[in-house]
Amino acid sequence: GRVKDLLVDFSTLRIEGFILSDGLVQDAIYGKNILPVLGKVEFAEDFMLVEKEAAEEMAKSGGGIKQRIFGKN
């Protein structure tokens, strides 16, 4: 996916997570993914590396059509 937005704790000014997009149709059906910042994160111009635990903790935002109609992701 692509990073579409950041989740920031404004009291500490720390990035707490990233909101990822899998594309317009996937986002509409399933909602966007939320990738928490856990441990080390490395940034490059075209990609971002995160630790395995962060990828395993990635969660759906629950904003998709499937959730609203069927009550599950």
Side-chain angles (χ1 to χ4, degrees):
R2 294 184 179 270
V3 175
K4 289 297 184 182
D5 209 347
L6 303 173
L7 299 172
V8 178
D9 179 344
F10 287 105
S11 65
T12 62
L13 299 178
R14 288 184 47 142
I15 297 173
E16 297 291 326
F18 301 95
I19 298 176
L20 307 178
S21 173
D22 287 330
L24 182 63
V25 174
Q26 289 290 79
D27 291 350
I29 294 171
Y30 299 106
K32 292 183 176 147
N33 291 314
I34 298 172
L35 178 67
V37 174
L38 300 173
K40 186 176 173 184
V41 179
E42 294 184 31
F43 298 92
E45 186 174 333
D46 294 331
F47 62 90
M48 174 175 64
L49 296 174
V50 298
E51 292 186 353
K52 183 179 179 180
E53 291 78 22
E56 290 171 350
E57 290 294 320
M58 188 166 38
K60 295 284 185 186
S61 65
I65 294 170
K66 188 174 181 182
Q67 169 70 27
R68 303 213 186 240
I69 295 173
F70 300 107
K72 58 186 170 188
N73 275 333

Coordinates of all heavy atoms in Angstrom, one line a residue:
G1 N 0.8 -1.2 0.0 CA 0.0 0.0 0.0 C 0.9 1.3 0.0 O 2.1 1.2 0.1
R2 N 0.2 2.4 -0.1 CA 0.8 3.7 -0.1 C 0.4 4.4 1.2 O -0.7 4.3 1.6 CB 0.4 4.5 -1.3 CG 0.9 3.9 -2.6 CD 0.5 4.9 -3.7 NE 1.0 4.3 -5.0 CZ 2.2 4.6 -5.5 NH1 3.0 5.4 -4.9 NH2 2.5 4.1 -6.7
V3 N 1.4 5.2 1.8 CA 1.1 6.0 2.9 C 0.2 7.1 2.5 O 0.6 7.9 1.6 CB 2.4 6.5 3.6 CG1 2.1 7.4 4.8 CG2 3.2 5.3 4.1
K4 N -1.0 7.3 3.1 CA -1.9 8.3 2.8 C -2.0 9.4 3.9 O -2.3 10.5 3.6 CB -3.3 7.8 2.5 CG -3.4 7.0 1.2 CD -3.1 7.9 0.1 CE -3.2 7.2 -1.2 NZ -2.9 8.1 -2.4
D5 N -1.7 9.0 5.1 CA -1.8 10.0 6.2 C -1.0 9.4 7.4 O -0.5 8.3 7.4 CB -3.2 10.2 6.6 CG -3.5 11.6 7.2 OD1 -2.5 12.3 7.5 OD2 -4.7 11.9 7.3
L6 N -0.8 10.3 8.4 CA -0.1 10.0 9.6 C -1.0 10.0 10.8 O -1.9 10.9 10.8 CB 1.1 10.9 9.9 CG 2.1 11.1 8.8 CD1 3.1 12.2 9.1 CD2 2.9 9.8 8.6
L7 N -0.7 9.2 11.8 CA -1.4 9.3 13.1 C -0.3 9.9 14.1 O 0.7 9.3 14.3 CB -1.8 8.0 13.6 CG -2.8 7.3 12.7 CD1 -3.1 5.8 13.3 CD2 -4.1 8.0 12.7
V8 N -0.6 11.1 14.6 CA 0.4 11.9 15.4 C -0.2 12.1 16.8 O -1.4 12.5 16.9 CB 0.7 13.2 14.7 CG1 1.7 14.0 15.6 CG2 1.3 13.0 13.3
D9 N 0.6 11.9 17.8 CA 0.3 12.2 19.2 C 0.8 13.7 19.4 O 2.0 13.9 19.5 CB 1.0 11.3 20.2 CG 0.6 11.6 21.6 OD1 0.2 12.7 21.9 OD2 0.9 10.7 22.5
F10 N -0.1 14.6 19.3 CA 0.3 16.0 19.4 C 0.8 16.4 20.7 O 1.5 17.5 20.8 CB -0.9 16.9 19.0 CG -1.1 16.9 17.5 CD1 -2.2 16.2 17.0 CD2 -0.3 17.4 16.6 CE1 -2.5 16.1 15.7 CE2 -0.5 17.4 15.2 CZ -1.6 16.7 14.8
S11 N 0.6 15.7 21.8 CA 1.2 16.0 23.1 C 2.7 15.7 23.1 O 3.5 16.4 23.8 CB 0.5 15.3 24.2 OG 0.7 13.9 24.1
T12 N 3.1 14.7 22.3 CA 4.6 14.3 22.3 C 5.2 14.6 20.9 O 6.4 14.5 20.8 CB 4.7 12.8 22.6 OG1 4.1 12.1 21.6 CG2 4.2 12.5 24.0
L13 N 4.3 15.0 20.0 CA 4.8 15.2 18.6 C 5.4 14.0 18.0 O 6.3 14.1 17.1 CB 5.7 16.4 18.5 CG 5.1 17.7 18.9 CD1 6.1 18.8 18.8 CD2 3.8 18.0 18.1
R14 N 5.0 12.8 18.4 CA 5.5 11.5 17.9 C 4.5 11.0 16.8 O 3.3 11.0 17.0 CB 5.7 10.5 19.0 CG 6.8 10.8 19.9 CD 7.0 9.6 20.9 NE 6.9 8.4 20.2 CZ 7.6 7.3 20.5 NH1 8.4 7.3 21.5 NH2 7.4 6.2 19.8
I15 N 5.1 10.4 15.8 CA 4.3 9.7 14.8 C 3.9 8.3 15.4 O 4.8 7.5 15.8 CB 5.0 9.5 13.5 CG1 5.3 10.8 12.8 CG2 4.2 8.6 12.5 CD1 6.2 10.7 11.6
E16 N 2.6 8.0 15.6 CA 2.2 6.8 16.2 C 1.8 5.7 15.2 O 1.7 4.5 15.5 CB 0.9 7.1 17.1 CG 1.2 8.0 18.3 CD 2.1 7.4 19.3 OE1 2.0 6.1 19.5 OE2 2.9 8.1 19.9
G17 N 1.5 6.1 14.0 CA 1.2 5.2 13.0 C 1.0 5.8 11.6 O 1.1 7.0 11.5
F18 N 0.7 5.0 10.6 CA 0.5 5.4 9.2 C -0.8 4.8 8.7 O -1.1 3.7 9.0 CB 1.7 4.9 8.3 CG 3.0 5.4 8.8 CD1 3.8 4.5 9.6 CD2 3.5 6.6 8.4 CE1 5.1 5.0 10.0 CE2 4.8 7.0 8.8 CZ 5.5 6.2 9.6
I19 N -1.5 5.6 8.0 CA -2.7 5.2 7.3 C -2.3 4.8 5.9 O -1.8 5.7 5.2 CB -3.8 6.2 7.4 CG1 -4.2 6.5 8.9 CG2 -5.1 5.7 6.6 CD1 -5.2 7.6 9.1
L20 N -2.5 3.6 5.5 CA -2.1 3.1 4.2 C -3.4 2.8 3.3 O -4.4 2.5 3.8 CB -1.4 1.7 4.4 CG -0.2 1.7 5.4 CD1 0.3 0.3 5.4 CD2 0.8 2.7 5.0
S21 N -3.1 3.0 2.0 CA -4.2 2.8 1.0 C -3.8 1.7 0.1 O -2.6 1.6 -0.3 CB -4.4 4.1 0.2 OG -5.3 3.8 -0.8
D22 N -4.7 0.8 -0.2 CA -4.5 -0.3 -1.2 C -5.2 0.1 -2.5 O -5.3 -0.8 -3.4 CB -5.1 -1.6 -0.6 CG -4.3 -2.2 0.5 OD1 -3.0 -2.0 0.5 OD2 -4.8 -2.9 1.3
G23 N -5.6 1.3 -2.7 CA -6.3 1.7 -3.9 C -7.8 2.0 -3.6 O -8.3 1.6 -2.6
L24 N -8.4 2.8 -4.4 CA -9.7 3.3 -4.2 C -10.8 2.2 -4.0 O -11.5 2.2 -3.0 CB -10.2 4.1 -5.4 CG -11.5 4.8 -5.3 CD1 -11.6 5.8 -4.2 CD2 -11.9 5.5 -6.6
V25 N -10.8 1.2 -4.8 CA -11.8 0.1 -4.7 C -11.6 -0.7 -3.4 O -12.5 -0.9 -2.6 CB -11.8 -0.8 -5.9 CG1 -12.7 -2.0 -5.7 CG2 -12.2 0.0 -7.2
Q26 N -10.3 -1.1 -3.2 CA -10.0 -1.9 -1.9 C -10.4 -1.1 -0.7 O -10.9 -1.6 0.3 CB -8.6 -2.3 -1.9 CG -8.2 -3.4 -2.9 CD -8.8 -4.7 -2.6 OE1 -10.0 -5.0 -2.8 NE2 -8.0 -5.6 -2.0
D27 N -10.0 0.2 -0.7 CA -10.3 1.0 0.5 C -11.8 1.2 0.7 O -12.3 1.2 1.8 CB -9.7 2.4 0.3 CG -8.2 2.4 0.4 OD1 -7.6 1.4 0.7 OD2 -7.6 3.5 0.0
A28 N -12.5 1.3 -0.4 CA -14.0 1.4 -0.3 C -14.6 0.2 0.3 O -15.5 0.2 1.1 CB -14.6 1.8 -1.6
I29 N -14.1 -1.0 -0.2 CA -14.7 -2.3 0.3 C -14.3 -2.6 1.7 O -15.1 -3.0 2.5 CB -14.4 -3.4 -0.7 CG1 -15.0 -3.1 -2.1 CG2 -14.8 -4.7 -0.2 CD1 -14.6 -4.0 -3.2
Y30 N -13.0 -2.6 2.0 CA -12.4 -3.1 3.2 C -12.0 -2.0 4.2 O -11.7 -2.3 5.4 CB -11.2 -4.0 2.9 CG -11.5 -5.1 2.1 CD1 -11.2 -5.2 0.7 CD2 -12.2 -6.2 2.6 CE1 -11.5 -6.3 -0.1 CE2 -12.5 -7.3 1.8 CZ -12.2 -7.3 0.5 OH -12.5 -8.4 -0.3
G31 N -11.9 -0.8 3.8 CA -11.3 0.3 4.7 C -9.8 0.3 4.5 O -9.2 -0.5 3.9
K32 N -9.2 1.4 5.0 CA -7.8 1.6 4.9 C -7.1 0.8 6.1 O -7.7 0.6 7.1 CB -7.4 3.0 5.0 CG -7.9 3.8 3.7 CD -7.5 5.2 3.8 CE -7.9 5.9 2.5 NZ -8.3 7.2 2.6
N33 N -5.8 0.5 5.8 CA -5.0 -0.2 6.9 C -4.4 0.8 7.8 O -4.0 1.9 7.3 CB -3.9 -1.1 6.2 CG -4.5 -2.3 5.5 OD1 -5.4 -3.0 6.0 ND2 -4.0 -2.5 4.3
I34 N -4.2 0.5 9.0 CA -3.5 1.3 10.0 C -2.3 0.5 10.4 O -2.4 -0.5 11.0 CB -4.4 1.7 11.2 CG1 -5.6 2.5 10.7 CG2 -3.5 2.5 12.2 CD1 -6.6 2.8 11.8
L35 N -1.1 1.1 10.1 CA 0.2 0.5 10.5 C 0.8 1.2 11.7 O 1.2 2.4 11.5 CB 1.2 0.5 9.3 CG 2.5 0.0 9.5 CD1 2.5 -1.5 9.7 CD2 3.4 0.3 8.3
P36 N 0.8 0.6 12.8 CA 1.4 1.3 14.0 C 2.9 1.4 13.9 O 3.6 0.5 13.3 CB 1.0 0.4 15.2 CG 0.9 -1.0 14.6 CD 0.4 -0.8 13.2
V37 N 3.5 2.4 14.5 CA 4.9 2.5 14.6 C 5.4 1.8 15.9 O 5.1 2.2 17.0 CB 5.4 4.0 14.7 CG1 6.9 4.1 14.9 CG2 5.0 4.7 13.4
L38 N 6.0 0.6 15.6 CA 6.5 -0.2 16.7 C 8.0 -0.5 16.4 O 8.3 -1.1 15.4 CB 5.8 -1.6 16.8 CG 4.3 -1.5 17.1 CD1 3.7 -2.9 16.9 CD2 4.0 -0.9 18.4
G39 N 8.8 0.0 17.3 CA 10.3 -0.3 17.1 C 10.9 0.6 16.0 O 10.4 1.8 15.8
K40 N 11.8 0.1 15.3 CA 12.6 0.8 14.3 C 11.8 1.0 13.0 O 11.2 0.0 12.5 CB 13.9 0.1 14.1 CG 14.9 0.8 13.2 CD 16.2 0.0 13.2 CE 17.1 0.6 12.2 NZ 18.3 -0.2 12.1
V41 N 11.9 2.2 12.4 CA 11.3 2.5 11.1 C 12.4 3.2 10.3 O 13.0 4.1 10.8 CB 10.0 3.4 11.2 CG1 9.5 3.7 9.9 CG2 9.0 2.7 12.1
E42 N 12.6 2.7 9.1 CA 13.5 3.4 8.2 C 12.8 3.9 7.0 O 11.9 3.2 6.4 CB 14.6 2.4 7.8 CG 15.5 1.9 8.9 CD 16.6 1.0 8.4 OE1 17.1 1.2 7.3 OE2 17.0 0.1 9.2
F43 N 13.1 5.1 6.6 CA 12.5 5.7 5.4 C 13.5 5.9 4.3 O 14.6 6.2 4.5 CB 12.0 7.1 5.8 CG 10.9 7.1 6.9 CD1 11.3 7.2 8.2 CD2 9.6 7.0 6.5 CE1 10.3 7.3 9.2 CE2 8.6 7.0 7.5 CZ 9.0 7.1 8.8
A44 N 13.0 5.7 3.1 CA 13.7 6.0 1.8 C 12.8 6.8 0.9 O 11.6 7.0 1.3 CB 14.2 4.7 1.2
E45 N 13.3 7.2 -0.2 CA 12.4 8.0 -1.1 C 11.2 7.3 -1.5 O 10.1 7.9 -1.6 CB 13.3 8.4 -2.3 CG 12.5 9.4 -3.2 CD 13.4 9.9 -4.3 OE1 14.6 10.0 -4.2 OE2 12.8 10.3 -5.3
D46 N 11.3 6.0 -1.9 CA 10.2 5.2 -2.4 C 9.6 4.2 -1.5 O 8.7 3.5 -2.0 CB 10.6 4.6 -3.8 CG 10.9 5.7 -4.8 OD1 10.3 6.7 -4.8 OD2 11.7 5.4 -5.7
F47 N 10.2 4.0 -0.4 CA 9.7 2.9 0.5 C 10.0 3.2 1.9 O 10.7 4.1 2.3 CB 10.2 1.5 0.1 CG 11.7 1.4 0.2 CD1 12.3 1.0 1.3 CD2 12.5 1.7 -0.9 CE1 13.7 0.8 1.4 CE2 13.9 1.6 -0.8 CZ 14.5 1.2 0.4
M48 N 9.4 2.3 2.8 CA 9.5 2.4 4.2 C 9.7 1.0 4.8 O 9.0 0.1 4.3 CB 8.3 3.1 4.8 CG 8.2 3.1 6.3 SD 6.8 4.0 6.9 CE 5.4 3.0 6.3
L49 N 10.7 0.8 5.7 CA 10.9 -0.5 6.3 C 10.5 -0.4 7.7 O 10.8 0.5 8.5 CB 12.4 -0.9 6.2 CG 13.0 -1.1 4.8 CD1 14.5 -1.3 5.0 CD2 12.3 -2.3 4.1
V50 N 9.7 -1.4 8.1 CA 9.2 -1.5 9.5 C 9.5 -2.9 10.0 O 9.7 -3.8 9.3 CB 7.7 -1.2 9.6 CG1 7.3 0.2 9.2 CG2 6.9 -2.3 8.9
E51 N 9.6 -3.0 11.4 CA 9.8 -4.3 12.0 C 8.6 -5.2 11.8 O 7.5 -4.8 11.6 CB 10.1 -4.2 13.4 CG 11.5 -3.5 13.6 CD 11.9 -3.4 15.1 OE1 11.1 -3.8 16.0 OE2 13.0 -3.0 15.3
K52 N 8.9 -6.5 11.8 CA 7.9 -7.6 11.6 C 6.7 -7.4 12.5 O 5.5 -7.6 12.1 CB 8.5 -8.9 11.8 CG 7.6 -10.1 11.5 CD 8.3 -11.4 11.7 CE 7.3 -12.5 11.4 NZ 8.0 -13.8 11.6
E53 N 6.9 -7.0 13.8 CA 5.8 -6.9 14.7 C 4.8 -5.8 14.3 O 3.6 -5.9 14.5 CB 6.4 -6.5 16.1 CG 7.1 -7.6 16.8 CD 8.5 -7.8 16.3 OE1 9.1 -6.8 15.7 OE2 9.1 -8.9 16.4
A54 N 5.3 -4.7 13.7 CA 4.4 -3.6 13.2 C 3.5 -4.2 12.1 O 2.3 -3.9 12.1 CB 5.2 -2.4 12.7
A55 N 4.1 -4.9 11.2 CA 3.3 -5.5 10.1 C 2.2 -6.4 10.6 O 1.1 -6.5 10.1 CB 4.2 -6.1 9.1
E56 N 2.6 -7.2 11.6 CA 1.7 -8.2 12.2 C 0.5 -7.5 12.9 O -0.6 -8.0 13.1 CB 2.4 -9.2 13.1 CG 3.3 -10.1 12.4 CD 4.2 -10.9 13.3 OE1 4.3 -10.6 14.5 OE2 4.8 -11.9 12.8
E57 N 0.8 -6.3 13.5 CA -0.2 -5.5 14.2 C -1.1 -4.7 13.3 O -2.0 -4.0 13.8 CB 0.5 -4.7 15.3 CG 1.1 -5.5 16.4 CD 0.0 -6.2 17.3 OE1 -1.1 -5.6 17.5 OE2 0.3 -7.4 17.6
M58 N -0.8 -4.6 12.0 CA -1.5 -3.8 11.1 C -3.0 -4.2 11.2 O -3.4 -5.3 11.2 CB -1.0 -3.9 9.7 CG -1.7 -3.0 8.8 SD -0.8 -2.8 7.2 CE -0.4 -4.5 6.8
A59 N -3.9 -3.1 11.3 CA -5.3 -3.4 11.5 C -6.1 -2.6 10.4 O -5.6 -1.6 9.9 CB -5.7 -3.0 12.9
K60 N -7.2 -3.1 10.1 CA -8.2 -2.4 9.2 C -8.8 -1.3 10.0 O -9.1 -1.4 11.2 CB -9.2 -3.3 8.7 CG -8.7 -4.4 7.8 CD -8.4 -3.8 6.4 CE -8.0 -4.9 5.5 NZ -7.6 -4.5 4.2
S61 N -9.1 -0.2 9.4 CA -9.7 1.0 10.0 C -11.2 0.7 10.2 O -11.8 1.4 11.1 CB -9.6 2.2 9.2 OG -10.3 2.1 7.9
G62 N -11.8 -0.3 9.5 CA -13.2 -0.6 9.7 C -14.1 0.3 9.0 O -15.3 0.3 9.2
G63 N -13.6 1.1 8.0 CA -14.4 2.1 7.3 C -15.0 1.6 6.0 O -15.6 2.4 5.3
G64 N -14.8 0.4 5.7 CA -15.2 -0.1 4.4 C -16.7 -0.5 4.3 O -17.4 -0.7 5.3
I65 N -17.1 -0.6 3.1 CA -18.5 -1.0 2.8 C -18.8 -2.4 3.3 O -19.9 -2.6 3.9 CB -18.8 -1.0 1.3 CG1 -18.7 0.5 0.7 CG2 -20.1 -1.6 0.9 CD1 -18.7 0.5 -0.8
K66 N -17.9 -3.3 3.2 CA -18.1 -4.7 3.7 C -18.4 -4.7 5.2 O -19.3 -5.4 5.6 CB -16.8 -5.5 3.4 CG -17.0 -7.0 3.7 CD -15.8 -7.8 3.3 CE -16.0 -9.3 3.5 NZ -14.9 -10.1 3.2
Q67 N -17.7 -3.9 6.0 CA -17.9 -3.8 7.4 C -19.3 -3.2 7.7 O -20.0 -3.7 8.5 CB -16.9 -2.9 8.0 CG -17.2 -2.5 9.5 CD -17.0 -3.6 10.5 OE1 -16.3 -4.6 10.2 NE2 -17.8 -3.6 11.5
R68 N -19.7 -2.2 6.9 CA -21.0 -1.6 7.2 C -22.2 -2.5 6.8 O -23.2 -2.5 7.5 CB -21.1 -0.3 6.4 CG -20.0 0.6 6.8 CD -20.4 2.0 6.8 NE -19.2 2.9 7.1 CZ -19.1 3.7 8.1 NH1 -20.1 3.8 8.9 NH2 -18.0 4.4 8.3
I69 N -22.0 -3.3 5.8 CA -23.1 -4.2 5.3 C -23.1 -5.5 6.1 O -24.2 -5.9 6.6 CB -23.0 -4.4 3.8 CG1 -23.2 -3.1 3.0 CG2 -24.0 -5.5 3.3 CD1 -23.0 -3.2 1.5
F70 N -22.0 -6.1 6.2 CA -21.9 -7.5 6.7 C -21.4 -7.5 8.2 O -21.4 -8.6 8.8 CB -21.0 -8.4 5.9 CG -21.5 -8.5 4.5 CD1 -20.9 -7.9 3.4 CD2 -22.7 -9.3 4.2 CE1 -21.3 -8.1 2.1 CE2 -23.1 -9.4 2.9 CZ -22.5 -8.8 1.8
G71 N -20.9 -6.4 8.7 CA -20.4 -6.4 10.1 C -19.1 -7.0 10.3 O -18.7 -7.4 11.4
K72 N -18.3 -7.3 9.2 CA -17.0 -7.9 9.4 C -16.1 -7.4 8.3 O -16.5 -7.0 7.2 CB -17.1 -9.4 9.4 CG -17.7 -10.0 8.2 CD -17.9 -11.5 8.3 CE -18.8 -12.0 7.1 NZ -19.2 -13.3 7.3
N73 N -14.8 -7.6 8.5 CA -13.8 -7.2 7.4 C -13.3 -8.4 6.7 O -13.4 -9.5 7.1 CB -12.5 -6.5 8.0 CG -12.8 -5.0 8.2 OD1 -13.5 -4.5 7.4 ND2 -12.1 -4.5 9.1

